[in-house]
Amino acid sequence: MDFKFTEEQLAVQAAARDFAQNVLKPGVIARDREAKVAVEELKQLGQLGFFGMMVDPKYGGGGMDTVSYVLAMEEISKVDASVAVCMSVCNSLVNWGLETFGNEEQKQKYLAPIARGEKIGAFCLSEPEAGSDATSQRTTAIDKGDHYLVNGTKNWITNGSSASIYLVICQTDREKGHHGINALIVERGMPGFIVGEKEDKMGIRGSDTHTLIFNDVKVPKENRIGEEGFGFKFAMQTLGGGRIGIASQAMGIASGALELAIAYSKQRKTFGKEIYKHQAIAFKLADMATQVEAARLMCLNAARMKDAGVDYTEAASMAKLFSSEIAQFVTSEAVQIHGGYGYVREYHVERLMRDAKITQIYEGTSEIQKIVISRGILKD
Ligand code: CAA
């Protein structure tokens, strides 16, 4: 394993850090309080190329590797986990899915505008009764010859109202189980497609999470990704890479909380000295730093495996499981180190603690990651 980053990777990391610290940080507390999407900031991030990082330049992307993506996700997530999840969904779910499995026309029409930062995408799998149990899709896509007629409801969809391109997983033939599922590209504005209620969330409040409603939406056949019945495998494979994104988001949240805790411990004094000089605090920081470092290595390992073209399914799930678990511990300890200040909204650490929780839930709960990992390590 090569432990040195290339010049290009370091440049991407520096650009993401600069953007996070100078553009995202000033308004992040207000956006969280008001549950406001960073519309202008997302536009700028898109123009800088952070939504199409790994996409082939011929489709308007940056042609970067997954390692660069992990480094950028860490820097953005340290400051604004809401912007980071938008970036993760665009890069690793929507773009990767379209680039890997879409046809040329779909790539030109749908992938390129997202990669160029002109449009935002959403990945629509979860339903009121199909979250972890992804095969139990109730949204139907009935085959009507030249189009599918889509009916149903999707829940908790990230980028629900800011997106204009939606990858929607639907059931076409229930008797065929997961082989009867299709992935369809739905455009904002198609008649019958309604962006429903926005969720009032505990964390990542600057990200727009919505219910989506489909009432007799006519989706042309050419908007199906892959062969008939490929939708479930499309979702599973796409989520594999998505989990590297969310693992990096969780690791970035933890890494941000650690940086804040270190800075605070050097400035705050108790009993006549800076608090980091008390072993109780220094040991907490040592534990936090060790966990962040382990999570970072797991994220980079999964990324390197993906870049090397080897199967990274379990590595991605392990990285997500571990990073999201340590993010709970690290952010909670950061609040503890800040004491009373850590519990008020004027300081960043309480937001990071709330933001961390979702990383154990979306793109497969911790329990789902354990299913994926255990199946992987136990297979013959
Ligand atoms: N790659 C390719 N194919 C895969 C696969 C993978 N990683 N995982 C499973 N499959 C295939 C299997 O080979 C099988 O195909 P065959 O029948 O042809 O052999 C088929 O898919 C069904 O597999 P399983 O029998 O393993 O399916 P299962 O019902 O037991 O479920 C599961 C497996 C891993 C639990 C899956 O349901 C799962 O991942 N659930 C979690 C879903 C999830 O992550 N939801 C998050 C929503 S998206 C989101 O949060 C986005 C956001 O906005 C942030």
Side-chain angles (χ1 to χ4, degrees), residues 21-318:
Q21 298 295 328
N22 296 315
V23 181
L24 295 176
K25 200 167 192 172
V28 68
I29 290 178
R31 288 194 297 275
D32 171 73
R33 192 188 318 114
E34 295 155 21
K36 197 169 161 278
V37 175
V39 178
E40 276 312 308
E41 292 82 352
L42 285 172
K43 227 180 257 172
Q44 285 181 47
L45 196 61
Q47 283 162 358
L48 287 170
F50 282 99
F51 285 175
M53 293 184 70
M54 295 166 286
V55 174
D56 191 319
K58 75 176 175 191
Y59 301 114
M64 294 174 214
D65 58 13
T66 316
V67 168
S68 302
Y69 170 56
V70 168
L71 296 175
M73 277 296 295
E74 177 180 354
E75 294 305 327
I76 301 292
S77 308
K78 276 181 187 176
V79 174
D80 193 332
S82 299
V83 165
V85 71
C86 178
M87 185 173 141
S88 178
V89 167
C90 286
N91 276 289
S92 33
L93 294 184
V94 181
N95 289 348
W96 189 83
L98 283 170
E99 189 165 19
T100 311
F101 302 112
N103 60 35
E104 189 56 30
E105 205 185 353
Q106 291 168 344
K107 289 181 201 182
Q108 296 291 353
K109 189 168 174 191
Y110 299 113
L111 169 65
I114 304 175
R116 290 195 298 259
E118 296 159 7
K119 288 187 177 176
I120 287 178
F123 183 84
C124 315
L125 174 68
S126 303
E127 297 189 356
E129 292 180 61
S132 292
D133 183 7
T135 39
S136 297
Q137 296 292 306
R138 299 271 161 93
T139 298
T140 51
I142 304 303
D143 192 335
K144 295 282 182 189
D146 64 342
H147 67 272
Y148 292 98
L149 199 60
V150 178
N151 279 287
T153 303
K154 293 286 175 185
N155 269 31
W156 310 295
I157 303 303
T158 303
N159 303 338
S161 60
S162 41
S164 42
I165 296 165
Y166 300 78
L167 307 190
V168 185
I169 312 300
C170 321
Q171 182 70 254
T172 294
D173 188 342
R174 198 169 301 283
E175 289 196 349
K176 289 189 181 158
H178 61 262
H179 295 290
I181 291 175
N182 281 312
L184 305 180
I185 306 166
V186 174
E187 287 179 59
R188 186 70 172 267
M190 281 183 171
F193 172 44
I194 300 160
V195 176
E197 210 181 319
K198 181 178 170 185
E199 300 292 349
D200 185 9
K201 307 191 298 291
M202 167 185 171
I204 54 161
R205 290 176 56 76
S207 129
D208 54 316
T209 309
H210 283 258
T211 297
L212 303 179
I213 301 145
F214 302 85
N215 283 329
D216 284 340
V217 183
K218 278 186 179 179
V219 181
K221 272 272 171 77
E222 62 258 28
N223 281 26
R224 187 187 69 218
I225 304 173
E227 295 298 310
E228 178 75 37
F230 179 64
F232 189 74
K233 290 203 174 172
F234 170 82
M236 290 300 106
Q237 292 199 32
T238 304
L239 279 166
R243 287 166 186 161
I244 299 179
I246 301 304
S248 310
Q249 183 199 27
M251 177 270 286
I253 292 171
S255 164
L258 173 65
E259 280 185 8
L260 290 167
I262 290 174
Y264 183 78
S265 73
K266 288 184 176 171
Q267 161 221 319
R268 172 76 169 161
K269 285 185 178 167
T270 59
F271 305 103
K273 55 184 178 186
E274 288 83 2
I275 60 172
Y276 78 92
K277 291 182 179 158
H278 298 295
Q279 200 179 54
I281 302 298
F283 277 15
K284 270 191 199 304
L285 291 168
D287 284 338
M288 292 157 74
T290 305
Q291 297 207 352
V292 169
E293 184 64 6
R296 186 180 290 119
L297 289 172
M298 290 182 80
C299 292
L300 289 170
N301 181 51
R304 286 183 171 122
M305 287 173 78
K306 183 163 182 275
D307 289 336
V310 296
D311 186 355
Y312 56 90
T313 310
E314 284 90 57
S317 280
M318 285 177 184

